[in-house]
């Protein structure tokens, strides 16, 4: 009888440990393995992009390097197409999403977001032939205009929402969308303001025009699996800490005020 009791107790304890392991958050799991795996589509200048040596660099990339250092782990990038970020997270391919992802209600049904680390909005790049013809986003809402956007982004969603009368073409990357405007294949490209601002500064895009005033409000944040509140708690405290100690401002100035880094990707 006593032996059976202890057997049941032992089995219960093992089951408890298994549940605890199953419920371990992404941050706890990263610390356990010594590696923080981050899913990203490294095509979002200046947040995450690939330099001449194939390394992922950028503002958000630096934030995640700081996060990994604070955890005492190594940062490992898992590059995927933007449309595969949420499926990849849910499938357990990486611990969190760090890819300039905008917090939306639709996405929030599938995952949890940290506090935002920056606010951006959508802006428009225009082909020179539209000079004097288009002065606002509303002016583009005509059937004769062809609009480009990156597949799966909030730029694409904004184009569908605000430019329902225009003809939308989606491309795999933002870079390809810009090229389509430069070549004259489309009339305009919609994407996040920081990306478009950097695109305008590149010599190959010097002829483009821009509607620089953002017409949407979009907070960017890190994404984790639904219910992983321990990880959210740690990440939010981390973001608050670097905001207070000057780390955030230093990194922000590096990527949004200085332009020395452009030589690393061109």
């Amino acid at each position: 009888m006593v032996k059976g009791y202890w057997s049941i107790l032992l089995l219960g304890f093992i089951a408890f440990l298994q549940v605890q392991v199953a419920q371990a958050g992404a941050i706890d799991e990263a610390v356990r393995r010594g590696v923080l795996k981050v899913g990203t589509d490294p095509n979002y200048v200046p947040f995450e992009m690939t330099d001449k040596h194939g390394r992922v660099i950028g503002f958000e990339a630096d934030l995640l390097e700081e996060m990994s250092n604070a955890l005492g782990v190594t940062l490992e990038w898992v590059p995927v197409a933007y449309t595969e970020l949420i499926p990849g997270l849910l499938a357990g391919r990486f611990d969190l999403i760090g890819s300039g992802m905008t917090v939306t209600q639709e996405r929030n049904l599938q995952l949890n977001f940290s506090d935002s680390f920056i606010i951006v909005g959508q802006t428009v790049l225009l082909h020179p032939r539209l000079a004097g013809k288009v002065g606002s986003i509303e002016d583009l809402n005509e059937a004769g205009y062809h609009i480009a956007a990156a597949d799966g982004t909030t730029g694409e969603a904004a184009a569908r929402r605000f430019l329902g009368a225009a003809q939308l073409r989606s491309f795999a990357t933002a870079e390809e969308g810009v090229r389509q405007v430069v070549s004259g294949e489309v009339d305009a490209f919609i994407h996040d303001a920081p990306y478009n601002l950097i695109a305008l500064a590149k010599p190959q895009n010097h002829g483009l025009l821009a509607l620089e005033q953002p017409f949407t409000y979009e907070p960017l944040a890190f994404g984790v699996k639904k219910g992983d509140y321990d990880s959210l708690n740690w990440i939010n405290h981390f973001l608050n800490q670097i905001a207070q100690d000057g780390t955030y401002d230093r990194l922000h100035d590096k990527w949004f005020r200085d332009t020395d880094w452009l030589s690393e990707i061109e």
Side-chain angles (χ1 to χ4, degrees):
M1 184 69 178
V2 173
K3 183 177 180 181
Y5 170 79
W6 285 109
S7 297
I8 293 173
L9 188 61
L10 179 61
L11 289 173
F13 181 68
I14 293 173
F16 172 76
L17 289 178
Q18 290 176 334
V19 169
Q20 291 301 107
V21 171
Q23 290 180 345
I27 293 298
D28 290 333
E29 180 63 19
V31 171
R32 183 194 65 77
R33 86 165 77 89
V35 176
L36 177 65
K37 297 182 179 181
V38 178
T40 192
D41 178 9
N43 292 290
Y44 184 25
V45 180
F47 290 88
E48 44 271 321
M49 54 211 163
T50 306
D51 70 6
K52 295 176 181 178
H53 306 288
R55 299 171 301 191
V56 178
I57 63 171
F59 175 60
E60 189 172 6
D62 276 3
L63 290 179
L64 286 159
E65 285 284 1
E66 292 288 340
M67 184 185 296
S68 299
N69 291 338
L71 287 168
V73 302
T74 301
L75 175 61
E76 178 183 317
W77 295 105
V78 183
V80 297
Y82 197 84
T83 52
E84 293 303 312
L85 286 167
I86 294 178
L89 176 71
L90 300 183
R93 293 182 58 191
F94 33 83
D95 302 311
L96 59 86
I97 294 173
S99 195
M101 183 165 283
T102 302
V103 179
T104 68
Q105 294 175 348
E106 180 181 10
R107 289 170 178 162
N108 221 164
L109 291 173
Q110 302 177 74
L111 70 159
N112 289 150
F113 285 104
S114 69
D115 292 343
S116 64
F117 58 82
I118 198 170
I119 305 297
V120 301
Q122 298 299 306
T123 59
V124 185
L125 298 182
L126 302 168
H127 190 274
R129 63 172 172 262
L130 272 63
K133 298 179 181 178
V134 174
S136 68
I137 187 68
E138 291 80 12
D139 294 337
L140 284 169
N141 194 27
E142 296 183 6
Y145 287 129
H146 293 78
I147 311 299
D151 188 30
T153 64
T154 48
E156 181 185 51
R160 295 186 188 282
R161 177 182 175 188
F162 291 93
L163 303 175
Q167 301 181 55
L168 175 63
R169 295 180 61 186
S170 297
F171 297 92
T173 66
E175 186 177 12
E176 180 58 30
V178 174
R179 280 198 293 264
Q180 292 291 316
V181 184
V182 172
S183 67
E185 294 296 316
V186 300
D187 298 295
F189 172 69
I190 295 179
H191 206 64
D192 293 355
Y195 181 94
N196 282 349
L197 187 62
I198 299 299
L200 280 175
K202 295 182 177 181
Q204 65 267 33
N205 304 328
H206 73 276
L208 295 181
L209 306 176
L211 300 179
E212 296 183 357
Q213 181 63 40
F215 62 92
T216 63
Y217 171 88
E218 301 184 16
L220 305 187
F222 302 114
V224 300
K225 286 184 178 179
K226 286 182 72 68
D228 190 358
Y229 301 117
D230 285 345
S231 294
L232 288 178
N233 180 66
W234 191 93
I235 294 171
N236 290 339
H237 279 296
F238 164 79
L239 290 173
N240 181 65
Q241 178 64 41
I242 63 172
Q244 298 297 323
D245 67 17
T247 301
Y248 181 92
D249 288 342
R250 173 175 57 81
L251 296 179
H252 186 276
D253 288 349
K254 172 184 175 181
W255 294 102
F256 293 98
R257 291 183 181 274
D258 298 336
T259 57
D260 294 344
W261 57 266
L262 282 172
S263 62
E264 300 180 44
I265 63 173
E266 296 177 344

